[in-house]
Amino acid sequence: MRASLQDSNAVNTVDDKTIDKRYILKLDLIILPLLGKTVNMTYTHENSSANTRVAIIYFTHSLDRANLGNAKTANFEKDIGLRDNEYSLILVLFYIPYGTLNVPLTILARRFYPAVVIPILMFCWGAIAAASAAVTGFGGILATRICLGVVEAGFFPSAIFYLTLFYRPEEIAKRISLFYMMGFVANAFSGLIAWRVFQWNKSLHNWQYLFIIEGAMTCFLAIVSFILLPRSVESSRYFTSSEKAVARQRSEAFAQLESEQFSWRSTLLPLLSTQTWLYGGMALSYGVACASVSNFLPTMIKRLATDTVKTNLYTIAPNLSGAVFIVIICVLSDYYLQRALFIILSTGVSMLGFILLGSLDLTRLVGVGYFCTFLITFGTFTSAVLVPAWASGNIVSRSGRATTLGLIAGLQNLGGIVSSLVFRSEDAPVYRPALITSGVFQGCVVVLAASAWVWYRRENRRKGDDDGVVRYVL
């Protein structure tokens, strides 16, 4: 970090420290439930905040993106006449806009406020998800998924950027993890909805009801989010004048002061930085595994439980356990202000799960195979939280942070193209090449994170020995 750890951990200069605690508590109660209505618990000053509202939005984001995996287990391909590898092609073409439009949409959020841009995008992806129920062939589902990729591309980096406007570097990972946890909850909830809906016997195909229910829910919550999310602390009616003063103090103490005026120079400068592309390399690598879990976890489990209804039910436990572990790891990462170690640890566990699932004969070892799905969800998404948090802590420019987070999210999503291409129908039901590929890319994350740790540690020693300043988060 460019500020010293001593400055980073110091309490701001406002005399009444209770104002600072009250400000943090308000952030927790106002922002986090919308970006995610995660769990019903009381947060302290050290682990509460703006995640709650962002979590609801991320919940619907994951719900509408992952429902195709559930539909696949309910004869979706047969009902609309998909052939050969057309399902994989749909996923590939979804990831092209989803992986290339992150930077421009995050810049858009920087220009027009994330609290405005995010709910608009959310309403659009809900409407598109609901409209997917009307498709009758390959062309229709392809068009809807490409449009979904366009509007969903900007959410994750814009949401992280939004949180960095309120939180300090040592506070950010646990908060990202709380709303990212909603991705696991959404996958579990989608599996639960699918389990129930797939037992219906009505006029429409069961997967059509799944799309309609989840899309309509998203549109409603988008309207709520647009009304309630604060554009900024200064303009919000939620905060008192003393709390706004606290917000200014925190911003000045822990970020580079820059004009609110949008600047293309400060926005594009990070693209010339080596550390930006190091984060990007990690994102591209863990993106392969993230997409594999999001799109194909029901398919992996179907190998172990041939019944369609039970397959979707069995996705719940791995997703919920992954949600718990991701929060625990990120809380520890914030506490020790250490990113690389926890990235290496969690990703290594996930890598092991992919390799075991792809290499073992699980015909008679169904329990072992199911345990491997828990290893996969334990570590796959942790890097997707800690790497953006790591970048946020080491990039103090607000505009530069927006660009870097957009690039990280874009490269992560492009990893989904690799995942979609390696999950080939001819490799069913084991999908050994795809699982091994995902494991290898997780190994790349481990190597890149270790390399970044070595580089940052050397830079800290070179630049920080004279004045005691630690310039980068490790």
Side-chain angles (χ1 to χ4, degrees):
M1 262 173 22
R2 298 183 190 280
S4 69
L5 278 181
Q6 182 179 358
D7 290 337
S8 176
N9 292 323
V11 180
N12 59 53
T13 56
V14 177
D15 291 336
D16 191 355
K17 305 302 186 298
T18 61
I19 299 176
D20 182 80
K21 294 181 180 180
R22 188 170 69 239
Y23 166 72
I24 294 292
L25 180 60
K26 279 189 176 181
L27 289 178
D28 292 342
L29 296 177
I30 294 168
I31 300 177
L32 294 187
L34 282 179
L35 287 173
K37 212 163 192 173
T38 56
V39 286
N40 186 17
M41 63 170 65
T42 302
Y43 295 96
T44 65
H45 167 63
E46 288 302 322
N47 62 8
S48 53
S49 224
N51 306 347
T52 314
R53 280 191 162 78
V54 176
I56 285 180
I57 301 175
Y58 188 64
F59 176 85
T60 65
H61 175 269
S62 299
L63 202 66
D64 293 333
R65 180 163 46 90
N67 56 19
L68 198 63
N70 297 111
K72 187 176 185 291
T73 68
N75 297 320
F76 170 75
E77 294 171 283
K78 180 180 178 181
D79 290 339
I80 67 171
L82 295 185
R83 296 175 298 179
D84 300 326
N85 286 308
E86 287 182 339
Y87 179 83
S88 293
L89 181 59
I90 290 168
L91 294 179
V92 169
L93 295 178
F94 164 81
Y95 278 109
I96 291 176
Y98 191 58
T100 56
L101 297 178
N102 303 87
V103 172
L105 287 174
T106 310
I107 292 174
L108 188 72
R110 167 71 177 96
R111 176 67 179 83
F112 294 106
Y113 300 107
V116 173
V117 173
I118 291 175
I120 292 174
L121 294 175
M122 181 184 178
F123 186 88
C124 291
W125 79 58
I128 293 168
S132 300
V135 303
T136 58
F138 173 71
I141 190 63
L142 179 63
T144 58
R145 296 303 287 188
I146 290 175
C147 291
L148 192 67
V150 170
V151 295
E152 286 199 345
F155 168 70
F156 188 63
S158 297
I160 296 178
F161 173 65
Y162 185 50
L163 293 179
T164 64
L165 301 180
F166 303 100
Y167 294 100
R168 297 179 291 203
E170 69 273 18
E171 300 168 341
I172 196 67
K174 69 175 73 71
R175 288 163 172 82
I176 298 174
S177 74
L178 282 175
F179 85 80
Y180 212 105
M181 183 179 73
M182 294 311 293
F184 286 103
V185 176
N187 289 337
F189 189 65
S190 183
L192 185 60
I193 294 176
W195 170 73
R196 183 57 183 162
V197 169
F198 290 173
Q199 298 180 66
W200 292 356
N201 186 18
K202 299 182 183 294
S203 57
L204 299 177
H205 296 298
N206 290 334
W207 55 265
Q208 291 177 298
Y209 290 111
L210 183 70
F211 289 165
I212 293 170
I213 291 170
E214 295 181 353
M217 185 191 313
T218 298
C219 290
F220 170 75
L221 292 173
I223 297 172
V224 174
S225 300
F226 185 83
I227 295 171
L228 296 181
L229 277 179
R231 310 302 191 249
S232 66
V233 173
E234 291 295 333
S235 64
S236 175
R237 66 182 183 278
Y238 299 130
F239 303 98
T240 65
S241 57
S242 58
E243 289 164 352
K244 292 178 180 179
V246 166
R248 287 192 295 270
Q249 294 265 1
R250 288 165 59 91
S251 177
E252 293 169 1
F254 301 104
Q256 171 183 306
L257 293 178
E258 60 176 301
S259 171
E260 290 297 320
Q261 186 72 27
F262 180 79
S263 166
W264 279 109
R265 184 183 183 279
S266 59
T267 299
L268 298 179
L269 192 61
L271 296 178
L272 302 177
S273 171
T274 301
Q275 67 171 330
T276 298
W277 292 101
L278 189 59
Y279 294 129
M282 285 185 267
L284 179 64
S285 299
Y286 64 66
V288 177
C290 288
S292 297
V293 173
S294 295
N295 294 320
F296 296 102
L297 182 61
T299 303
M300 298 176 203
I301 292 178
K302 191 173 182 179
R303 167 191 174 191
L304 308 172
T306 55
D307 182 81
T308 296
V309 174
K310 288 184 178 179
T311 294
N312 287 284
L313 188 62
Y314 289 162
T315 63
I316 296 174
N319 279 307
L320 291 183
S321 65
V324 172
F325 280 120
I326 196 173
V327 174
I328 292 173
I329 293 297
C330 291
V331 167
L332 291 173
S333 177
D334 272 354
Y335 180 80
Y336 292 104
L337 201 58
Q338 169 63 249
R339 306 303 186 205
L341 176 63
F342 291 100
I343 290 171
I344 293 169
L345 173 66
S346 59
T347 305
V349 172
S350 173
M351 176 181 67
L352 179 64
F354 275 111
I355 293 175
L356 290 177
L357 196 59
S359 58
L360 294 178
D361 181 2
L362 300 177
T363 306
R364 297 183 180 180
L365 299 173
V366 175
V368 174
Y370 193 50
F371 175 72
C372 289
T373 65
F374 284 80
L375 296 181
I376 288 171
T377 56
F378 170 83
T380 295
F381 292 95
T382 308
S383 296
V385 174
L386 293 182
V387 170
W390 199 1
S392 298
N394 287 331
I395 299 173
V396 294
S397 164
R398 180 174 294 184
S399 296
R401 205 183 312 137
T403 302
T404 303
L405 292 173
L407 181 68
I408 289 172
L411 289 171
Q412 174 186 343
N413 295 334
L414 288 177
I417 295 178
V418 178
S419 171
S420 301
L421 289 174
V422 296
F423 272 90
R424 304 175 302 173
S425 58
E426 56 263 36
D427 295 325
V430 178
Y431 297 100
R432 180 171 287 108
L435 294 171
I436 298 299
T437 298
S438 298
V440 169
F441 272 98
Q442 290 294 78
C444 293
V445 177
V446 171
V447 172
L448 289 171
S451 300
W453 181 85
V454 170
W455 186 80
Y456 280 136
R457 192 161 184 260
R458 184 183 63 191
E459 289 298 301
N460 286 345
R461 286 180 172 178
R462 184 173 64 86
K463 297 181 179 180
D465 287 345
D466 294 337
D467 53 11
V469 173
V470 179
R471 299 183 181 275
Y472 292 107
V473 177
L474 295 178

